[in-house]
Amino acid sequence: MNAIIGHQPPVTRCLILASATLMMLTSLDMLSPFSLYLNWALIIYEWQLWRLVTCFLFFGTFGLSFFWNTYVLLFYCSSLEAVAFHSKSADFLWMLMCSAGMLLFLTYFYGNSYFISGAMIDIMTYVWGRRNSTARMQVLFFTVRAPYLPWVLAWISLLMGGNVQDHLMGIAVGHIYYFFEDVYPLLPTSKGFRLFRTPKILKIICIQHD
């Protein structure tokens, strides 16, 4: 386990460890998934604020869904952090935080999702695919261009019982981040404005040097 996780970038490593911990605790009946899912009534009226985090980290109990999502984290999301965000863990963490905020906004007003960890993976694979647009990936028995990767992964997830709404939200949020971070700042009218600029305090905490 350490040989696999120990070589991952820091943020991805923390995500894998947190999701694996929740998987083991729920599989051993030491923790109930009902204490982890997104429930706005319990968050607002009973201050169960941890649900704002655990709904992104729980990929299910011991089974195919957990191992599939862990595989995607290991091979695609870690590549995004290691290459596109090389030595920029604060920027990667800020991308996840902003994306999580947008997903929570969508679920509060328009969704009925309980766990949106899959949507977060869609965001990371969408950004990865856009930043590696010429790459071709082998996914199971398919060879796909990188920009279509999140759609293929979403389709596979649906075959395993995933929620189509979650995947559409994830891809939409991924496009919003990609557009305002990679496209809009290059337009003359933007004057270099970046909507998702990482706060300096987060760079200090993560020891990131520009």
Side-chain angles (χ1 to χ4, degrees):
M1 178 69 75
N2 184 62
I4 298 175
I5 298 178
H7 294 88
Q8 301 303 318
V11 177
T12 301
R13 183 166 62 248
C14 291
L15 288 174
I16 294 173
L17 288 173
S19 62
T21 300
L22 292 179
M23 181 275 292
M24 289 188 291
L25 291 176
T26 53
S27 297
L28 296 173
D29 291 328
M30 299 174 65
L31 187 66
S32 171
F34 290 105
S35 64
L36 305 175
Y37 77 100
L38 182 64
N39 185 313
W40 285 107
L42 294 176
I43 292 170
I44 295 173
Y45 298 111
E46 298 190 20
W47 291 88
Q48 296 185 10
L49 301 180
W50 65 84
R51 295 177 183 272
L52 296 172
V53 178
T54 55
C55 67
F56 291 104
L57 299 175
F58 185 66
F59 294 118
T61 54
F62 187 88
L64 181 60
S65 177
F66 170 80
F67 288 104
W68 170 253
N69 284 291
T70 302
Y71 164 80
V72 176
L73 277 175
L74 281 171
F75 290 96
Y76 298 108
C77 303
S78 64
S79 176
L80 176 64
E81 182 180 0
V83 179
F85 290 89
H86 179 65
S87 299
K88 296 181 178 180
S89 293
D91 292 347
F92 185 65
L93 180 58
W94 184 242
M95 181 197 80
L96 297 182
M97 294 171 67
C98 292
S99 300
M102 287 187 280
L103 285 175
L104 289 172
F105 174 84
L106 289 174
T107 56
Y108 182 81
F109 289 103
Y110 305 108
N112 57 353
S113 301
Y114 298 114
F115 294 106
I116 43 183
S117 48
M120 184 62 76
I121 286 183
D122 290 327
I123 293 168
M124 289 186 275
T125 54
Y126 184 92
V127 175
W128 185 91
R130 287 294 184 173
R131 292 186 174 182
N132 298 272
S133 58
T134 59
R136 289 185 175 273
M137 307 302 301
Q138 185 73 31
V139 182
L140 298 180
F141 306 107
F142 305 96
T143 299
V144 298
R145 289 180 54 197
Y148 299 108
L149 177 63
W151 298 98
V152 174
L153 296 180
W155 177 72
I156 295 173
S157 178
L158 288 176
L159 294 180
M160 294 188 292
N163 188 336
V164 64
Q165 177 181 274
D166 293 350
H167 294 297
L168 292 177
M169 287 195 304
I171 292 172
V173 170
H175 180 74
I176 291 172
Y177 178 86
Y178 168 75
F179 177 80
F180 283 103
E181 186 66 14
D182 290 23
V183 179
Y184 182 72
L186 301 179
L187 299 178
T189 54
S190 71
K191 298 181 181 180
F193 172 76
R194 289 177 56 203
L195 179 63
F196 299 112
R197 187 182 301 275
T198 307
K200 290 185 178 180
I201 184 64
L202 187 59
K203 292 183 178 181
I204 294 173
I205 293 173
C206 296
I207 317 177
Q208 174 180 311
H209 305 286
D210 292 329

